[in-house]
Amino acid sequence: MKTDRQLKTEVEEELDWDPAVTATDIGVEVADRVVTLSGHPPSFAEKLAAEKAAHRVAGVKAVVVDMHVRLLQRDERTDEDVASAVHAILHWTVGLPDDSVKVQVEKGWVTLTGIVDWAYQSHVAGRAVSHMRSVRGVVNHIEVPGNVASEEIGVKIAQAMQRHAKREVKHVSIDVKDGTVTLTGKVGSYAERAVARGAAWSAPGVRAVVDDLVVE
């Protein structure tokens, strides 16, 4: 098992290696294999990229995010400008019905509300806005109607995972409650983890996905 010092070094190396992250903006501390990221990244997209980079390092048990976005001066915009840009992005995003998502912006924080037919549509909307300039954070409150039985959702996800995975995914447990899918267990790679997440997001009736998978 890696020591906390080894994990700290490897997380710092991963941040430095990732072109989407400015490593000098991020501080790293590790205790009992739990990584805490601190600092002031210049965009919400970089904050997300740093979190994902830390999760990629083998041996990391959890990641605590204590980062606060500090926009560059050239990226500062009024809330009205940000709201207008978000509306435009969502309008041009494939798969999102017009006017299905409402937008509120306060001090650079974007809150998305509304109702869509599929969980992936909510996921796509949140991801699109997260990578915009001048956004300090995103709160995704888009709802998906839960009109499919939990048992049926779990079966469809398991079937999709079997179709998509290169090898049988035996160690993933799927728990569905009120449209929220929780994935637990161990996978052999980040590719397998992505397969499981993708299958869960694409299933009809899914409202949210909680990824508690561990990469061996």
Side-chain angles (χ1 to χ4, degrees):
M1 182 181 296
K2 297 177 183 177
T3 66
D4 286 346
R5 179 173 294 184
Q6 286 175 302
L7 286 175
K8 174 179 169 66
T9 299
E10 291 189 11
V11 169
E12 290 173 339
E13 290 174 346
E14 187 69 14
L15 292 172
D16 189 55
W17 177 81
D18 192 329
V21 177
T22 304
T24 53
D25 295 331
I26 312 298
V28 179
E29 295 296 334
V30 183
D32 192 24
R33 296 191 294 134
V34 175
V35 177
T36 299
L37 301 176
S38 60
H40 298 280
S43 69
F44 186 60
E46 182 170 318
K47 179 180 177 179
L48 293 179
E51 182 179 355
K52 290 179 181 178
H55 275 295
R56 285 197 299 266
V57 175
V60 170
K61 183 167 63 175
V63 177
V64 177
V65 179
D66 191 25
M67 296 180 289
H68 303 279
V69 175
R70 183 177 291 168
L71 296 176
L72 299 175
Q73 187 173 3
R74 66 172 183 267
D75 289 335
E76 293 279 358
R77 297 290 188 278
T78 65
D79 287 344
E80 290 76 11
D81 287 342
V82 174
S84 178
V86 170
H87 277 295
I89 286 291
L90 295 178
H91 174 74
W92 288 100
T93 298
V94 173
L96 285 180
D98 283 343
D99 301 323
S100 60
V101 178
K102 308 301 181 184
V103 178
Q104 177 182 333
V105 183
E106 183 176 357
K107 297 181 180 179
W109 276 83
V110 179
T111 300
L112 304 176
T113 58
I115 299 176
V116 294
D117 296 327
W118 295 82
Y120 88 86
Q121 293 172 319
S122 171
H123 185 61
V124 164
R127 185 173 60 186
V129 176
S130 296
H131 288 81
M132 293 179 61
R133 291 182 183 273
S134 308
V135 171
R136 297 180 185 273
V138 177
V139 180
N140 192 341
H141 286 325
I142 300 173
E143 298 181 2
V144 181
N147 54 3
V148 181
S150 295
E151 295 79 8
E152 184 178 349
I153 293 174
V155 169
K156 289 185 178 296
I157 292 173
Q159 291 172 341
M161 288 170 57
Q162 295 300 330
R163 290 195 301 270
H164 300 168
K166 291 183 178 180
R167 63 188 180 93
E168 188 176 359
V169 185
K170 299 179 179 179
H171 304 295
V172 175
S173 296
I174 305 166
D175 180 69
V176 185
K177 184 177 181 180
D178 297 329
T180 297
V181 177
T182 301
L183 303 174
T184 57
K186 297 180 180 180
V187 292
S189 67
Y190 282 95
E192 288 183 9
R193 186 179 190 178
V195 165
R197 287 167 59 97
W201 276 114
S202 299
V206 172
R207 294 178 175 179
V209 176
V210 179
D211 177 9
D212 285 337
L213 295 170
V214 175
V215 180
E216 291 186 316

